[in-house]
């Protein structure tokens, strides 16, 4: 064992309960795979109730808490909640380790509590963790900080916990389709990637080949700057009229760069959410008026 491994063990008395977390992630993964609404990698929603849709949260705990409190799933039996890209960012521990793993674990517990109505969609940051791809934001190495946070919390069991996270990511659905023709996912491919895009990605089990940088899953989750043509082609193939995604930050917390996309960002004080009704016809412009600011919701301790 290298000298600095000893340093880490001596400095940090791990307080996370690795066994319990591994069990939680495993149970949440089984529930994600077994959702009765799931066919292939898509969840087909019922024609009643509503979905609270969010974009990237990136460890932003105040927004995460506001969204969960507002969702109030216990008292709204017809309400679904969509979460994605919860990790990488937000508060850090005393030594700069990322604490966003806490949000991931809380979301997994919520999936266990409300398995039919909490939907965590696969995002590219999750795949980056699976593949060991380094992600940066400005001067911060997000993946390195995430690894440090896990190390501080779980010590020698950090690698096992990380494996449980990755097994959970692998079980996640890619998208949601609603009866009123809305598609929800982390992103969609840009125009060039659509030329040979195989939509069977949404219907077949995912394998090791999908979790590579060369895959169509990669171009689906990492897609940016989709123009109107790309949006229309994708809509036609998946049988939807509106695409609600995350993945791209925006000055206003949301943007509509073409005639199909609504791009939500749920990180920081500009973060937005959208309450999407399932039982009525919707349009992109109509839904744009339903996009609201997370910061305007009360935090649970203020409610
Ligand atoms: Mn993303």
């Amino acid at each position: 064992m290298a000298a600095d491994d000893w340093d880490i063990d001596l400095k940090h008395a791990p307080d996370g309960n690795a066994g319990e977390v591994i069990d939680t992630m495993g149970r949440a993964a089984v529930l994600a795979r077994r959702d009765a609404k799931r066919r292939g990698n898509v969840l087909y929603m019922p024609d009643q109730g509503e979905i609270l849709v969010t974009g990237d949260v990136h460890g932003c705990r105040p927004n995460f808490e506001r969204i969960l409190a507002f969702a109030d799933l216990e008292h709204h039996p017809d309400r679904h909640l969509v979460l994605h890209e919860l990790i990488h960012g937000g508060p850090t521990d005393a030594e700069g380790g990322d604490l966003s793993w806490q949000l991931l674990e809380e979301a997994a517990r919520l999936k266990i509590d409300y398995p039919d109505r909490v939907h965590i969609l696969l995002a590219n940051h999750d795949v980056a963790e699976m593949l060991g791809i380094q992600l940066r934001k400005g001067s911060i190495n997000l993946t390195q900080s995430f690894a440090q946070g896990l190390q501080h919390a779980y010590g020698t069991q950090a690698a096992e916990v990380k494996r449980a996270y990755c097994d959970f990511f692998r079980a996640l659905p890619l998208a949601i389709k609603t009866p009123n023709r809305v598609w929800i996912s982390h992103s969609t491919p840009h125009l060039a990637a659509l030329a040979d895009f195989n939509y069977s990605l949404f219907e077949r089990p995912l394998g090791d080949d999908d979790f590579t940088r060369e895959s169509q899953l990669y171009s689906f989750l990492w897609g940016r700057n989709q123009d109107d043509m790309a949006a229309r082609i994708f809509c036609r193939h998946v049988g939807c009229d509106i695409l609600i995604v995350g993945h791209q930050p925006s000055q206003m917390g949301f943007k509509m760069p073409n005639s199909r996309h609504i791009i939500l960002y749920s990180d920081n004080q500009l973060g937005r959410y959208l309450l999407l009704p399932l039982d009525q016809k919707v349009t992109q412009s109509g839904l744009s008026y339903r996009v609201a600011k997370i910061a305007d919701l009360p935090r649970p301790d203020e409610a």
Side-chain angles (χ1 to χ4, degrees), residues 49-50 69-80 114 117 275:
E50 57 193 2
F70 175 66
D72 190 16
L73 295 172
E74 189 185 342
H75 297 107
H76 296 86
D78 283 342
R79 183 177 289 166
H80 297 255
Y114 301 97
R117 298 190 290 126
L275 204 49

Side-chain angles (χ1 to χ4, degrees), residues 62 65-66 69 298-303:
E65 289 178 353
R66 284 185 172 100
R299 271 189 91 159
D301 49 6
E302 300 164 357

